[in-house]
Amino acid sequence: MQRLILPLPGNEGFATRLAALCGGEPGSVETRRFPDGESYVRLHGDPQGRAVDIVCTLARPDPGFLGLVFAADAARDLGATEVNLVAPYLAYMRQDRRFQAGESVSSLSFARLVSSTFDRLLTVDPHLHRHPALSALYSIPTATLHAAPLLAGWIAANVPAPLIIGPDEESEQWAGSIAARIGAPHAVLRKIRRGDRQVDIDVPDLARWQDRTPVLVDDIASSGRTLVAAAEKLAGMDMKPPQCVVVHALFADDAWAQVSACFERVVSTDTVPHPSNRIELAPLLADALLRGLRDCSSDLKGTPR
Ligand SMILES: O=P(O)(O)OC[C@H]1O[C@H](OP(=O)(O)OP(=O)(O)O)[C@H](O)[C@@H]1O
């Protein structure tokens, strides 16, 4: 039986492409607020006897999260054989430990809530720096997809003679893998985060790459301070105008204006809808759904709830 693809509001475009690519039936989720502010949710599409994939990217997750839970519970009540969360961007991955006494470890709390609601989770490049895999946080099977090959393809097709640059030590994995795929050199900067919007960047000597176009690659652009600080340092080094490719285009508040002013071009994947989206990931996710969420990454294990 065809899968039922149910997008939460704002995810319709991605879900329509996904459904077309994996042969699923697109449905919809109607949401509104009752006068007292509580959430109303109604599914349009019949979950009875079929796998249901609820599509909801989790950028700015707080206002819609209860509606997402209600939609999943409704699909299960109405006979879905399994209820999966397709979250191209996965929220709450950065507060993954107690940095100061008394803080909540929101990564773990959020993972518990999602794991108690869904059977499986499919996502793209979760911000996993201190945990080896999503299975360290989530108790349901999780499938992780990686955008690096597509980022590499975009850079190879659009930027002649690139120098791939990761803004911090943790981005070595991205920068190294993208550079290796396209036969380009890469460099990694040093970042010290001093606060939510305070970042210091040190740049190594890049003089031997002055004939190349610097391309910053990162997983997330949120406040944009990492990218702005890196661009400011590069500007003082007589390099060619830099470009930037990110996976998850969160661009909080005025970040888009700040970042786009510092780079010749900024592009992103479509995990979060944004004017910078140029790299389409629906085919990657559709392929994962067609394979039954198998073989996406090593952390697809555990028992569906
Ligand atoms: O746009 P911004 O607000 O600068 O946020 C984006 C940056 O933050 C994340 O790393 P982070 O500095 O949080 O380091 P972490 O790997 O220790 O979480 C991410 O990998 C980006 O580099």
Side-chain angles (χ1 to χ4, degrees), residues 94 127 129-130 170 191 193 218-220 222-224 226:
R94 294 167 82 184
H127 189 74
H129 286 320
R130 281 169 286 266
E170 284 157 338
K191 177 171 82 179
R193 179 173 287 286
D218 207 353
D219 59 342
I220 297 171
S222 176
S223 74
T226 297

Side-chain angles (χ1 to χ4, degrees), residues 8 23 26 35 41 43 47-48 74 83 139 180 185 197 209 213 242-243 268 274 304:
L8 267 287
V41 169
L43 308 188
Q48 178 62 45
V83 183
S139 59
R197 296 168 192 275
W209 305 123
T213 297
Q243 303 197 18
S268 63
H274 188 267

Side-chain angles (χ1 to χ4, degrees), residues 287-298:
D287 183 57
L289 291 177
L290 284 170
R291 286 184 287 120
L293 304 185
R294 283 189 299 276
D295 307 326
C296 297
S297 78
S298 57

Side-chain angles (χ1 to χ4, degrees), residues 187-249:
V188 172
L189 314 184
R190 286 180 300 278
K191 177 171 82 179
I192 299 173
R193 179 173 287 286
R194 303 194 184 279
D196 291 352
R197 296 168 192 275
Q198 290 168 296
V199 167
D200 290 339
I201 297 265
D202 276 341
V203 181
D205 182 8
L206 301 176
R208 65 189 164 132
W209 305 123
Q210 277 173 338
D211 59 336
R212 289 188 165 260
T213 297
V215 181
L216 261 289
V217 295
D218 207 353
D219 59 342
I220 297 171
S222 176
S223 74
R225 292 312 305 169
T226 297
L227 295 172
V228 168
E232 285 172 351
K233 282 291 167 83
L234 291 174
M237 299 182 72
D238 207 20
M239 303 290 290
K240 289 189 170 184
Q243 303 197 18
C244 171
V245 182
V246 299
V247 180
H248 304 298

